[in-house]
Amino acid sequence: MRLLQVSEQTVRRRTVEKLKLELERFPLTPLRIKGGLLSFKPSLLAHQVKEDDSRCTVSLYLRNCEGSDRLLVLCRMTGGFYARGQSQEAPARAPQVVERRFIINCDEDDGETRRAFDMDEVISLQPDHPFDQVTVLFHVYDVASPRAAVGVGHHLNQARLQGNLCDLKLVVEGVELLAHRLVLAARSPVLSNMLTGDFREAREGRVELVDASRVVVEKFLEFLYTDLIEEWQDSELELLQLAHKYMVPELGTECSLRLWSCDPPGALEVLHAVGLSEIICGPLRQRLTAIVVDNHKVLADTPQWLEFKKTFPVLVDTMLGHKAQTSYTMASVWSL
């Protein structure tokens, strides 16, 4: 499945609760995918658990669902706490999370007229204790794309896996992975120069990779041949580094899309790995920095944070120096 879009919106609880007495829904930013593949208008509705209880249930609704394909949507709601609103003495509380996956089938139409439809109460968050804010995350996947099963890239990849007509060896972790020189040269200008110029790799038909794991290189080859990776297995960061090194922007974009909504430890891992380099683009760096800063209280005593602080002290000072001025983004969207 191909990840098409990540959309995340954060709303303060009190904003949603203002409408609960009138049973009105709080509108979120509409989601639209390029090319008319899918669009809908999400909204939140708050219900009080008990009359004398500060807790409330928040439900998500989708209105005006329209599109031209069959798509899988992962929806996740998180009831969390406004990090800058907590005192330093207040104990850190884990957020509450609910998740649902569902198919939106936009292929069902009446003749030539495609009708919009609504989805009532897609998901609800029933907290065990009061929370300050609600975050709604959407991952939209294309499950109807036939590209994984057809095309010359698929057949070439099958030939690679079977060792047919391969004229190149990639050596990683002492293992030789077979490939076709023409395919790699066509996808990567770096590999093209290496394999067509007066270099040892071109003469010997052999390339040694010393800064990547075998598993990740196999996924890298899979993408070069098919533009798809079936099983990512948390390899986005290493693949992003390979995409940068060998100048494969399509892979870099897809890795960035998948890293957009990683958890706080994952965001810290990416920032530590890339340091001050330009491996990640500006918007993604800002996004990951905001995730780390907003969850600094949880990360502060971890070995990962202490190592990051030791390695990049100036970067850490800059991040924390802007903590007071940083605010939550109402809506952040990344699309292919």
Side-chain angles (χ1 to χ4, degrees), residues 27-43:
L28 300 176
T29 301
L31 183 145
R32 295 184 179 88
I33 296 182
K34 297 176 183 177
L37 287 178
L38 179 67
S39 67
F40 57 75
K41 297 178 179 179
S43 59

Side-chain angles (χ1 to χ4, degrees), residues 94-111:
Q96 300 175 71
V97 181
V98 291
E99 183 175 295
R100 180 187 171 189
R101 292 173 173 81
F102 54 91
I103 295 289
I104 294 184
N105 191 352
C106 299
D107 290 332
E108 299 178 358
D109 53 22
D110 181 13

Side-chain angles (χ1 to χ4, degrees), residues 288-307:
L288 298 177
T289 299
I291 293 175
V292 170
V293 169
D294 290 337
N295 293 275
H296 176 250
K297 190 172 184 179
V298 176
L299 296 170
D301 295 328
T302 63
Q304 293 79 10
W305 173 260
L306 296 177
E307 183 64 26

Side-chain angles (χ1 to χ4, degrees), residues 294-326:
D294 290 337
N295 293 275
H296 176 250
K297 190 172 184 179
V298 176
L299 296 170
D301 295 328
T302 63
Q304 293 79 10
W305 173 260
L306 296 177
E307 183 64 26
F308 179 63
K309 184 176 180 181
K310 179 181 178 181
T311 307
F312 302 106
V314 176
L315 182 57
V316 169
D317 289 343
T318 302
M319 291 168 60
L320 298 183
H322 290 285
K323 180 176 180 180
Q325 288 77 30
T326 305

